[in-house]
Amino acid sequence: MIQVDMTIDAKGLSCPMPIVKAKKAIHKLQPGQVLEVQATDKGSKADMKAWAESTGHHYLGTIEEEGILKHYIRRACESEAKNEAKFPHVIRNEELADKINDPSIIILDVREPAEFAFGHIPGAVSIPLGELEERIKELPQDKTIYVVCRTGTRSSLAAQKLAEKGFSNVWNIVPGMSEWNGSLEQ
């Protein structure tokens, strides 16, 4: 059994709410203490790991018990913590709608497969955030990559990861699929 100092309930919530709740809770802990985030959103596994890495907190792992994901994050000490950075290159949904037929771009959808299946931007490539590291070679570095998720949170983390891996023309789409009014493929 894992010793935890605080448990928060994010069951039934989808991105970005498990991360939002974790952000608020982690600041109530002392460095070295462990937060348990209980969630049911399958995408939260990749989200929690990416968020912890981007802030310097230690993602210890996730255990699934009876359909509940229990994420464990150790709060970083001040010397380990990083300011959470939003990806600086942002494009609004409306601006992207004018570009979706441009052959020099790629729209990368980092939502979970079920989210993608129920509706995505036509021509979008599906690589869930949790698979991005292992599948990054599938993306060409010579094209402009527009990254989308449901709200802009996962896509910000994915865009940061792409930039760290040498992709120079990456944009985060906000507010993402939650407010996408353009055409959809299913």
Side-chain angles (χ1 to χ4, degrees), residues 158-178:
Q160 288 176 48
K161 191 172 295 274
L162 290 171
E164 289 167 6
K165 298 292 183 181
F167 289 80
S168 60
N169 204 355
V170 179
W171 294 82
N172 182 24
I173 304 167
V174 292
M177 296 305 293
S178 64

Side-chain angles (χ1 to χ4, degrees), residues 62-113:
T62 299
I63 297 171
E64 185 169 358
E65 293 177 349
E66 298 176 16
I68 297 174
L69 298 165
K70 295 180 178 181
H71 308 288
Y72 297 95
I73 301 161
R74 183 178 76 67
R75 180 170 178 185
C77 64
E78 283 191 39
S79 65
E80 299 168 314
K82 304 181 218 173
N83 287 328
E84 185 177 2
K86 296 272 185 206
F87 193 71
H89 304 290
V90 175
I91 185 170
R92 308 271 320 148
N93 286 10
E94 301 78 25
E95 296 171 274
L96 178 70
D98 295 334
K99 299 176 185 280
I100 62 173
N101 295 318
D102 183 341
S104 70
I105 73 163
I106 293 200
I107 299 170
L108 174 62
D109 192 318
V110 295
R111 296 175 301 153
E112 291 299 299

Side-chain angles (χ1 to χ4, degrees), residues 12 35 40 46 49 57 77-78 84 87 140 155 163:
L35 174 65
T40 50
K49 183 177 184 203
H57 299 299
C77 64
E78 283 191 39
E84 185 177 2
F87 193 71
S155 54

Side-chain angles (χ1 to χ4, degrees), residues 145-159:
I145 299 177
Y146 294 99
V147 189
V148 68
C149 69
R150 193 174 82 77
T151 62
T153 301
R154 280 179 278 184
S155 54
S156 179
L157 294 168

